[in-house]
Each structure stands twice: as C-alpha cells, then as structure tokens.
C-alpha cells in the first residue's frame, strides 16, 4: 500500500521560508512523478509544482515561480518543496501526490493517483 506523508508545515512570518517533505512508503519513489498542491480555505485545490523522476525537470505555477523549488532524494524516498519569500497568500494545506510516469504532464489533480494527508502552512505576522 502506497503512502505519502507530508511534513514541515507550520507558522512562519511573511518573508520567511519553510521546507516541506513528502516521504513515501510502500513504493519506490524513483518511478513516480510527484506533484505539490495546496488548498486554501474556501478555494479550489491549486497545483503548485511538479518534479519528474530524475529531479532534473520541474514545473511551477506562476504564483510561486522563482520562490518555490522542488527537489527529490530518491535514495531517501523523499521529495521536498523549498518555499521562500512566503506571503500570507501562501497559507493553505499543502499536499504531495504521486503518479507512476517518468515526466511531468501538468499539475491537474486528476492526473495523480496517490495523495498524502496534507500539512498546514500558515503565513502570518
């Protein structure tokens, strides 16, 4: 049974940074594209980023371009999302999701088969 577990969320001041982790069990993560998503209260889920299996190709939403960086350590079966220059608009529950394919095909939710439970990120002074 594949499981994804996010961690690293919390409360941070505007302008601060957080690094989220997505740890996988029950599968070999190196065969899976990983997407990062977020959902703010009252809003639809938004695709934030996608990283391919090798970690050498990524996709970012315009809203996070230049501030968020996805990376992965397949040896540790873990994917990361480094978030810098955070603004209150980044407040949301962040999810990682997996699909077995080599390259990213976008950040639409329906393209991903496995989901974590989410981690809360709150940006506030």
């Amino acid at each position: 049974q594949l499981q994804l577990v996010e961690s690293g969320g919390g409360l941070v001041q505007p302008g601060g940074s957080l690094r989220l982790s997505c740890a996988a069990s029950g599968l070999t993560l190196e065969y899976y594209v990983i997407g990062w998503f977020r959902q703010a209260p009252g809003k639809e889920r938004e695709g934030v980023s996608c990283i391919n299996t090798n970690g050498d190709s990524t996709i970012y939403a315009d809203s996070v371009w230049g501030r968020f960086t996805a990376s992965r350590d397949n040896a540790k079966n873990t994917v990361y999302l480094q978030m810098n220059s955070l603004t209150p608009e980044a407040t949301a529950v962040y999810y990682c999701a997996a699909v077995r394919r080599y390259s990213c095909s976008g950040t639409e939710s329906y393209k991903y088969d496995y989901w974590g439970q989410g981690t809360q990120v709150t940006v506030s002074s």
Side-chain angles (χ1 to χ4, degrees):
Q1 180 79 20
L2 167 62
Q3 282 193 317
L4 299 173
V5 179
E6 302 94 337
S7 61
L11 174 64
V12 62
Q13 292 187 341
S17 298
L18 282 174
R19 188 177 81 156
L20 304 183
S21 298
C22 173
S25 62
L27 58 79
T28 302
L29 200 60
E30 65 180 308
Y31 301 124
Y32 290 77
V33 160
I34 300 297
W36 284 98
F37 298 81
R38 65 186 180 186
Q39 188 164 20
K43 295 188 177 181
E44 293 186 357
R45 185 172 296 180
E46 174 191 16
V48 173
S49 177
C50 175
I51 184 167
N52 72 343
T53 54
N54 288 340
D56 59 2
S57 179
T58 51
I59 295 174
Y60 298 99
D62 289 344
S63 57
V64 305
W65 182 267
R67 299 184 297 114
F68 287 18
T69 303
S71 62
R72 62 193 299 156
D73 186 339
N74 287 336
K76 294 183 178 180
N77 240 23
T78 302
V79 177
Y80 306 97
L81 184 68
Q82 177 68 42
M83 308 186 296
N84 298 329
S85 302
L86 285 164
T87 67
E89 289 70 33
T91 296
V93 178
Y94 283 71
Y95 301 88
C96 63
V99 59
R100 183 162 178 145
R101 55 178 296 133
Y102 172 75
S103 60
C104 291
S105 66
T107 54
E108 294 82 3
S109 298
Y110 70 88
K111 294 181 177 179
Y112 294 79
D113 297 323
Y114 305 100
W115 291 80
Q117 83 291 345
T119 186
Q120 176 70 46
V121 171
T122 302
V123 184
S124 175
S125 55

